[in-house]
Amino acid sequence: MKSADVLIIGAGPAGLFTAIHCTNRKVVVLEKNAVPGKKLLISGTGRCNLTHDCKLSDFFDHYGENHRFLKTALHGFTNFDLIRFFENHGMKTVVDKNGKVFPASQKASDVLQVLLDACTKNKVEIACNQQITGIEKTETGFTVKTSSGIFACRFLVITTGGMSYPATGSTGDGYHFAKQLGHAIVPPKPSLSPVFIRDYTMNSISGVSVQNKTVYLYRGEKKITEHSGDIGFTHKGLSGPGILDFSRHILSGDILKVNFIDLRIDDFRNELIKVSEKEGKTAIQTYLKKFDLPRSLVMLILKSINVEPESRLAEITKIQRNQLVAAFCEFPFTVEKVGGFNMAMVTAGGVSLEEVNAKTLESKLIPGLYFAGEVLDIDGDTGGYNLQAAFSMGFLVGKGISG
């Protein structure tokens, strides 16, 4: 039997950052893959969007309903603390026009190397190819059985991630371990995932996108909520930050209504009537240019309601005008399904936050047991928010265990 002060299960960003900050402790990180950080290496399409450079107060709007849980972690280790950490370890960062922070090299491998070097400096042992077969609580801590032996520890930290991108090893192991130790699991589901549309008619404009448009979510006749952001059209549905961030709320059968022109239906109808009276000879396609939409999208929408682009404003009937207004203010898409875990960037759901102390991330049920990262029931928007949460939580747990 091997012993350590701290055992960390999972060598992703949360696990490695926990290990780095568990000072003056013997730390062993158990990783089931052959190498650590496998999912980190593909984050941001291999560029690794570390965090965002917005004000800390703005972060909390990007974690859904459970954002308050991260208050202590994010205040204890901010986005600017994270940027400083990497730059102090020799890795420069850059900020893109949207506020996303990347390594200057645009290589996720540089991020992982900084973390591994820091682990080496702090004498952290990373044991790979360790398939966990059992965990038991003991009088003095925990024993963890793996495919290669038994480890004993005083503190156990579960940082196994969620279920997104299962090819990287994220297969929900942490939920099984937590449940085995008595914790409740909020059912996991894909998040930050593209949405597939039933009877989709816009495959011909795959690759086209629109900026900062509002999407209304309907379940039956009831409006559930709405969200604004950039929307991209794919071969089979919708994607882009505005859809990915919204996907945690979307279910199969829901209806998404997209407002392409940023006007309410009544306001657009009234404007059309006024313009028709004054500039009735103007062609519809010419008038619609004022909304700065891709021409290919405008043509498809007009085709969907059987309105000729060359038709003059004064010539369209009241019925056509109402159809035009509805199509541009609330164009409907019926959801066939949300992309599965193999497409989702993160996982919603996980270890119930009600059973974890938000100020320490220690289990309320079992002293000495901690959780950090995506294994918990919290997920963020695109833009670096999920990695920032993982690093901040890792820092909080590491410092807490160090005393």
Side-chain angles (χ1 to χ4, degrees), residues 38-61:
K38 199 170 179 180
K39 185 177 175 182
L40 181 65
L41 288 175
I42 66 168
S43 66
T45 61
R47 296 165 58 214
C48 194
N49 177 196
L50 287 171
T51 185
H52 202 281
D53 79 337
C54 64
K55 295 184 297 183
L56 183 64
S57 57
D58 292 337
F59 263 75
F60 298 97
D61 293 331

Short mmCIF file of all heavy atoms in Angstrom, two decimals, residues 38-61:
data_model
loop_
_atom_site.label_atom_id
_atom_site.label_comp_id
_atom_site.label_asym_id
_atom_site.label_seq_id
_atom_site.Cartn_x
_atom_site.Cartn_y
_atom_site.Cartn_z
N LYS A 38 -5.46 15.40 -21.06
CA LYS A 38 -5.86 15.05 -22.43
C LYS A 38 -6.96 15.97 -22.97
O LYS A 38 -6.91 16.42 -24.11
CB LYS A 38 -6.32 13.59 -22.46
CG LYS A 38 -6.32 12.98 -23.85
CD LYS A 38 -6.54 11.47 -23.77
CE LYS A 38 -6.56 10.86 -25.17
NZ LYS A 38 -6.77 9.39 -25.10
N LYS A 39 -7.96 16.26 -22.14
CA LYS A 39 -9.05 17.13 -22.60
C LYS A 39 -8.58 18.58 -22.70
O LYS A 39 -9.00 19.32 -23.59
CB LYS A 39 -10.25 17.05 -21.65
CG LYS A 39 -11.45 17.84 -22.14
CD LYS A 39 -12.65 17.67 -21.22
CE LYS A 39 -13.80 18.56 -21.65
NZ LYS A 39 -14.96 18.47 -20.74
N LEU A 40 -7.70 18.99 -21.80
CA LEU A 40 -7.17 20.36 -21.84
C LEU A 40 -6.49 20.64 -23.18
O LEU A 40 -6.58 21.76 -23.72
CB LEU A 40 -6.17 20.57 -20.69
CG LEU A 40 -5.54 21.96 -20.57
CD1 LEU A 40 -6.60 23.01 -20.24
CD2 LEU A 40 -4.45 21.96 -19.50
N LEU A 41 -5.83 19.64 -23.72
CA LEU A 41 -5.09 19.83 -24.97
C LEU A 41 -6.00 20.12 -26.17
O LEU A 41 -5.54 20.70 -27.15
CB LEU A 41 -4.25 18.58 -25.27
CG LEU A 41 -3.03 18.38 -24.37
CD1 LEU A 41 -2.36 17.05 -24.68
CD2 LEU A 41 -2.03 19.52 -24.52
N ILE A 42 -7.28 19.73 -26.09
CA ILE A 42 -8.17 20.01 -27.22
C ILE A 42 -9.10 21.19 -26.95
O ILE A 42 -9.91 21.56 -27.80
CB ILE A 42 -9.03 18.77 -27.59
CG1 ILE A 42 -10.00 18.43 -26.46
CG2 ILE A 42 -8.14 17.59 -27.94
CD1 ILE A 42 -11.06 17.40 -26.86
N SER A 43 -8.97 21.81 -25.79
CA SER A 43 -9.85 22.93 -25.46
C SER A 43 -9.57 24.12 -26.38
O SER A 43 -8.43 24.37 -26.76
CB SER A 43 -9.68 23.35 -24.00
OG SER A 43 -8.39 23.89 -23.78
N GLY A 44 -10.64 24.83 -26.73
CA GLY A 44 -10.48 25.97 -27.64
C GLY A 44 -9.88 25.57 -28.96
O GLY A 44 -9.06 26.29 -29.52
N THR A 45 -10.28 24.38 -29.47
CA THR A 45 -9.71 23.80 -30.70
C THR A 45 -8.19 23.78 -30.67
O THR A 45 -7.52 24.07 -31.67
CB THR A 45 -10.21 24.57 -31.95
OG1 THR A 45 -9.79 25.94 -31.88
CG2 THR A 45 -11.72 24.50 -32.07
N GLY A 46 -7.66 23.44 -29.50
CA GLY A 46 -6.21 23.31 -29.35
C GLY A 46 -5.50 24.59 -28.99
O GLY A 46 -4.29 24.59 -28.77
N ARG A 47 -6.27 25.69 -28.88
CA ARG A 47 -5.66 26.99 -28.55
C ARG A 47 -5.78 27.31 -27.06
O ARG A 47 -5.04 28.12 -26.54
CB ARG A 47 -6.32 28.10 -29.37
CG ARG A 47 -6.11 27.96 -30.88
CD ARG A 47 -7.07 28.86 -31.64
NE ARG A 47 -6.91 30.25 -31.26
CZ ARG A 47 -7.90 31.14 -31.20
NH1 ARG A 47 -9.14 30.76 -31.48
NH2 ARG A 47 -7.67 32.38 -30.87
N CYS A 48 -6.76 26.71 -26.38
CA CYS A 48 -6.96 26.83 -24.94
C CYS A 48 -7.33 28.25 -24.50
O CYS A 48 -6.48 29.05 -24.12
CB CYS A 48 -5.74 26.36 -24.17
SG CYS A 48 -6.09 26.10 -22.41
N ASN A 49 -8.63 28.52 -24.53
CA ASN A 49 -9.16 29.79 -24.02
C ASN A 49 -9.18 29.72 -22.50
O ASN A 49 -10.11 29.21 -21.90
CB ASN A 49 -10.56 30.00 -24.60
CG ASN A 49 -11.27 31.24 -24.09
OD1 ASN A 49 -12.47 31.37 -24.24
ND2 ASN A 49 -10.53 32.16 -23.49
N LEU A 50 -8.13 30.25 -21.88
CA LEU A 50 -7.90 30.13 -20.43
C LEU A 50 -8.97 30.76 -19.57
O LEU A 50 -9.42 30.20 -18.58
CB LEU A 50 -6.58 30.82 -20.07
CG LEU A 50 -5.28 30.16 -20.45
CD1 LEU A 50 -4.15 31.13 -20.20
CD2 LEU A 50 -5.11 28.93 -19.60
N THR A 51 -9.32 32.01 -19.92
CA THR A 51 -10.24 32.78 -19.09
C THR A 51 -10.74 33.94 -19.93
O THR A 51 -10.55 33.98 -21.14
CB THR A 51 -9.53 33.28 -17.81
OG1 THR A 51 -10.49 33.95 -16.97
CG2 THR A 51 -8.38 34.23 -18.11
N HIS A 52 -11.39 34.88 -19.27
CA HIS A 52 -11.90 36.08 -19.94
C HIS A 52 -11.35 37.29 -19.20
O HIS A 52 -11.06 37.21 -18.00
CB HIS A 52 -13.43 36.08 -19.91
CG HIS A 52 -14.06 36.94 -20.95
ND1 HIS A 52 -14.16 38.31 -20.81
CD2 HIS A 52 -14.62 36.64 -22.15
CE1 HIS A 52 -14.75 38.81 -21.89
NE2 HIS A 52 -15.03 37.82 -22.72
N ASP A 53 -11.18 38.41 -19.90
CA ASP A 53 -10.59 39.57 -19.24
C ASP A 53 -11.63 40.58 -18.75
O ASP A 53 -11.30 41.73 -18.46
CB ASP A 53 -9.57 40.27 -20.16
CG ASP A 53 -10.24 41.15 -21.21
OD1 ASP A 53 -11.44 40.91 -21.53
OD2 ASP A 53 -9.56 42.07 -21.73
N CYS A 54 -12.90 40.15 -18.62
CA CYS A 54 -13.93 41.06 -18.10
C CYS A 54 -13.77 41.27 -16.60
O CYS A 54 -12.98 40.60 -15.94
CB CYS A 54 -15.33 40.51 -18.40
SG CYS A 54 -15.70 38.95 -17.57
N LYS A 55 -14.53 42.22 -16.05
CA LYS A 55 -14.51 42.46 -14.61
C LYS A 55 -14.99 41.21 -13.88
O LYS A 55 -15.87 40.50 -14.37
CB LYS A 55 -15.40 43.65 -14.26
CG LYS A 55 -14.95 44.98 -14.81
CD LYS A 55 -15.87 46.10 -14.32
CE LYS A 55 -17.29 45.90 -14.82
NZ LYS A 55 -18.17 47.02 -14.40
N LEU A 56 -14.44 41.00 -12.70
CA LEU A 56 -14.83 39.81 -11.93
C LEU A 56 -16.34 39.78 -11.68
O LEU A 56 -16.97 38.73 -11.74
CB LEU A 56 -14.08 39.76 -10.61
CG LEU A 56 -14.35 38.52 -9.75
CD1 LEU A 56 -13.87 37.26 -10.46
CD2 LEU A 56 -13.69 38.64 -8.38
N SER A 57 -16.92 40.94 -11.43
CA SER A 57 -18.36 41.00 -11.15
C SER A 57 -19.19 40.51 -12.34
O SER A 57 -20.32 40.04 -12.16
CB SER A 57 -18.78 42.43 -10.79
OG SER A 57 -18.43 43.33 -11.83
N ASP A 58 -18.63 40.62 -13.55
CA ASP A 58 -19.36 40.16 -14.74
C ASP A 58 -19.32 38.65 -14.91
O ASP A 58 -20.11 38.08 -15.66
CB ASP A 58 -18.78 40.83 -16.00
CG ASP A 58 -19.05 42.32 -16.04
OD1 ASP A 58 -20.00 42.77 -15.36
OD2 ASP A 58 -18.30 43.04 -16.72
N PHE A 59 -18.39 37.99 -14.22
CA PHE A 59 -18.25 36.54 -14.36
C PHE A 59 -19.51 35.80 -13.92
O PHE A 59 -19.90 34.81 -14.53
CB PHE A 59 -17.06 36.04 -13.54
CG PHE A 59 -15.80 35.86 -14.34
CD1 PHE A 59 -15.06 36.96 -14.73
CD2 PHE A 59 -15.35 34.61 -14.70
CE1 PHE A 59 -13.90 36.82 -15.47
CE2 PHE A 59 -14.19 34.45 -15.45
CZ PHE A 59 -13.46 35.56 -15.83
N PHE A 60 -20.13 36.29 -12.88
CA PHE A 60 -21.21 35.52 -12.26
C PHE A 60 -22.46 35.40 -13.13
O PHE A 60 -23.32 34.56 -12.86
CB PHE A 60 -21.54 36.13 -10.89
CG PHE A 60 -20.37 36.07 -9.95
CD1 PHE A 60 -19.53 37.16 -9.79
CD2 PHE A 60 -20.07 34.90 -9.26
CE1 PHE A 60 -18.42 37.09 -8.96
CE2 PHE A 60 -18.98 34.82 -8.42
CZ PHE A 60 -18.15 35.91 -8.27
N ASP A 61 -22.55 36.21 -14.18
CA ASP A 61 -23.68 36.09 -15.10
C ASP A 61 -23.50 34.93 -16.08
O ASP A 61 -24.40 34.66 -16.88
CB ASP A 61 -23.85 37.38 -15.91
CG ASP A 61 -24.28 38.55 -15.04
OD1 ASP A 61 -24.96 38.30 -14.02
OD2 ASP A 61 -23.94 39.69 -15.36
#
